[in-house]
Amino acid sequence: MKAVLLIEDDDALRSMIGALLEEHGWKVFAAEDGEAGLNLARQYRPDVVVCDLLMPRCNGYQVCRAIRATPELHDTRIVMLSGRDYSTDKLNALEAGADEYLVKPVLPTELGATLLRLTSGEVPAAPVPAAHPARIPDGPPRVKFWGVRGSIASPGPGTNFYGGNTSCVEVRAEGEIIVLDAGTGIRSLGLSLTQEFNSQPLNITLLLTHTHWDHIQGFPFFMPAYEPRNTVRILGYEGARQGLAATLGAQMESPYFPVGLKELPGNITIEELRDMEFMVGKVRVRAMFVNHPGICVGYRIEASGGSVVFIPDNEPFHRMRSQPPGTDTTTIEFAREQDEKLIQFISGADILIMDAQYDAVEYEEHIGWGHACVDDVVDIASRARVKQLYLFHHDPTHDDERVSRMLAYARSLASTGLLVEAAREGLEAVIKR
Ligand SMILES: [Zn+2]
Ligand SMILES: [Zn+2]
């Protein structure tokens, strides 16, 4: 006989639920506050604990956390009951360790079904991609910039031309919608996709280079993630401290945002990548770890119509490691080799989008910050025989005039055949071969 522990301070409700569960064959233990409930849980190890949220002496969150911290109660399932129908309370309960959150008044049939499901060992089904997703027209690969700024969004009259939103680039290739990074620019991309495809289901792949704020902060405002018929597959590499899912979920915890990542109605999957090469439909993607604090990659997207390389944050090794003057030759040689590997990764790309946050003077003040000086970026692109270079991750203190001056300077350095542009919001580039 399965056992349930009922922790509820309302006497009438406790008796009523207890009697109903007994009728349905459950062995019932009951407690009228959290502290007494925890003592009974440790003593009898019930299959399920049904626990009220707001109770004297120990609230439901505390009960959940205490149960989850008790190894002998590892298999005990927890159902939280609450009179409060706020998504943030539900999220807090799930994060504290509850398996279910039911809002009062709870129908006896609903509670009974929940208990049976939780104790039957059933695994919830994984989300399935949309059955008839919108068809993305074929054609040459296309890139559109939705956020080009680095570090922090910087809207205002001074940044109107290039834009103030942080890192987000859309690539359409081989019938796929691939989104690079989820900085604040992803908000406008989401609105645009919703409008373009009206109500057709979408399959979207989001590739994250890393989880610094300027690369993930827009995700909670990405409307396609709120549409149940859409599938959003998020791919990236594990962070330095914790997994990708934990990091993305953390920015949506209730102190920061009213809707939790797990509560988003869209089919969201988060996959931590292990291999440095993988497919998105017919598009081959390669990744490379770059020189930036924490774990950070660049992506190379290889479609039949052309290639796009995205390296939004990177500090070229040579200029960084050859400081101060007189650095030993072994270190300098190592730095050269590392830059050489990057050049090979980029080699022959049709479009290169690359961190060019500083000029050479500013760089001197920012050595070890993880960003590039424009001189090095043009040099790398030239040596890699790239066709089009887009300066990216503009410094938040650089106004339009300053970015334009950096662009003019970059063009003056570029080798023949290399087209240089500064990325700006709304700019589209189509690969023509
Ligand atoms: Zn960044
Ligand atoms: Zn970063």
Side-chain angles (χ1 to χ4, degrees):
M1 183 187 269
K2 288 199 169 138
V4 57
L5 165 61
L6 194 53
I7 313 175
E8 168 62 66
D9 62 330
D10 181 319
D11 294 336
L13 196 58
R14 192 175 62 246
S15 316
M16 188 199 63
I17 297 176
L20 273 168
L21 291 174
E22 270 173 352
E23 250 175 57
H24 284 84
W26 289 84
K27 169 140 192 67
V28 178
F29 301 100
E32 60 187 33
D33 66 58
E35 209 172 87
L38 274 176
N39 288 334
L40 287 180
R42 290 183 184 118
Q43 197 179 343
Y44 296 108
R45 297 187 200 174
D47 298 283
V48 193
V49 173
V50 177
C51 179
D52 188 26
L53 175 59
L54 299 174
M55 299 175 294
R57 291 189 142 191
C58 188
N59 66 43
Y61 300 134
Q62 292 167 308
V63 171
C64 281
R65 282 193 283 269
I67 289 176
R68 289 295 168 246
T70 308
E72 307 86 74
L73 297 174
H74 181 266
D75 296 326
T76 299
R77 307 271 65 93
I78 306 172
V79 178
M80 185 86 87
L81 294 185
S82 171
R84 298 164 51 150
D85 192 5
Y86 293 116
S87 59
T88 179
D89 289 337
K90 176 178 178 182
L91 178 68
N92 284 338
L94 298 181
E95 276 170 5
D99 297 282
E100 271 294 348
Y101 182 93
L102 300 179
V103 178
K104 294 178 190 173
V106 179
L107 295 173
T109 45
E110 185 188 8
L111 180 62
T114 303
L115 298 194
L116 282 180
R117 183 168 52 75
L118 288 178
T119 53
S120 68
E122 246 176 62
V123 181
V128 279
H132 302 288
R135 211 186 139 268
I136 314 299
D138 280 338
R142 215 152 57 78
V143 167
K144 188 163 181 182
F145 294 95
W146 294 94
V148 299
R149 198 60 58 172
S151 311
I152 190 162
S154 50
T159 57
N160 265 343
F161 183 71
Y162 289 102
N165 282 301
T166 59
S167 184
C168 180
V169 176
E170 176 192 9
V171 178
R172 299 262 180 104
E174 315 268 13
E176 300 289 335
I177 301 174
I178 300 175
V179 182
L180 299 164
D181 277 347
T184 62
I186 203 172
R187 190 185 74 89
S188 315
L189 166 61
L191 295 174
S192 168
L193 288 172
T194 306
Q195 203 171 33
E196 180 182 347
F197 293 100
N198 203 0
S199 54
Q200 299 174 76
L202 292 173
N203 283 341
I204 298 167
T205 305
L206 168 59
L207 302 180
L208 295 177
T209 56
H210 64 312
T211 55
H212 283 162
W213 273 346
D214 49 329
H215 302 261
I216 62 167
Q217 222 168 19
F219 187 73
F221 297 90
F222 186 49
M223 288 317 289
Y226 290 78
E227 167 53 54
R229 296 190 305 153
N230 290 345
T231 300
V232 183
R233 183 181 173 212
I234 306 175
L235 304 175
Y237 292 83
E238 188 182 330
R241 281 226 181 135
Q242 58 186 4
L244 183 62
T247 309
L248 292 179
Q251 73 163 350
M252 295 178 77
E253 280 177 11
S254 71
Y256 313 112
F257 198 72
V259 186
L261 180 60
K262 286 183 189 152
E263 286 178 303
L264 289 176
N267 293 299
I268 317 285
T269 60
I270 301 175
E271 294 168 45
E272 228 157 64
L273 292 161
R274 291 176 183 279
D275 299 318
M276 303 309 279
E277 193 169 326
F278 54 94
M279 301 297 288
V280 176
K282 283 187 266 174
V283 179
R284 182 174 299 279
V285 184
R286 282 201 286 139
M288 178 183 179
F289 291 114
V290 294
N291 198 31
H292 189 69
I295 305 288
C296 179
V297 297
Y299 290 108
R300 181 175 179 125
I301 293 171
E302 208 63 68
S304 57
S307 52
V308 178
V309 178
F310 182 62
I311 304 178
D313 295 52
N314 176 56
E315 183 166 10
F317 277 89
H318 182 256
R319 191 175 292 254
M320 178 191 186
R321 300 298 291 276
S322 51
Q323 307 283 342
T327 300
D328 63 281
T329 50
T330 321
T331 302
I332 292 177
E333 194 43 45
F334 167 80
R336 275 193 205 289
E337 280 168 16
Q338 298 307 305
D339 285 343
E340 205 50 53
K341 282 183 192 161
L342 186 71
I343 288 168
Q344 279 172 20
F345 180 74
I346 292 168
S347 179
D350 291 284
I351 290 180
L352 168 63
I353 301 159
M354 199 167 188
D355 178 350
Q357 186 156 346
Y358 305 126
D359 64 27
V361 176
E362 279 174 312
Y363 179 75
E364 293 298 314
E365 303 292 315
H366 298 89
I367 295 169
W369 286 44
H371 300 292
C373 122
V374 69
D375 305 56
D376 293 343
V377 175
V378 176
D379 178 54
I380 287 169
S382 300
R383 286 163 60 197
R385 300 180 323 283
V386 163
K387 296 192 183 72
Q388 295 179 50
L389 165 66
Y390 288 84
L391 308 179
F392 195 75
H393 209 273
H394 306 313
D395 191 277
T397 67
H398 289 177
D399 61 10
D400 291 332
E401 200 241 311
R402 180 74 183 270
V403 176
S404 293
R405 265 192 286 138
M406 285 173 74
L407 171 61
Y409 174 68
R411 282 176 173 162
S412 77
L413 299 176
S415 57
T416 35
L418 173 63
L419 197 87
V420 187
E421 277 294 344
R424 67 171 192 272
E425 277 178 35
L427 182 69
E428 253 188 291
V430 181
I431 296 176
K432 293 190 189 102
R433 280 187 160 172

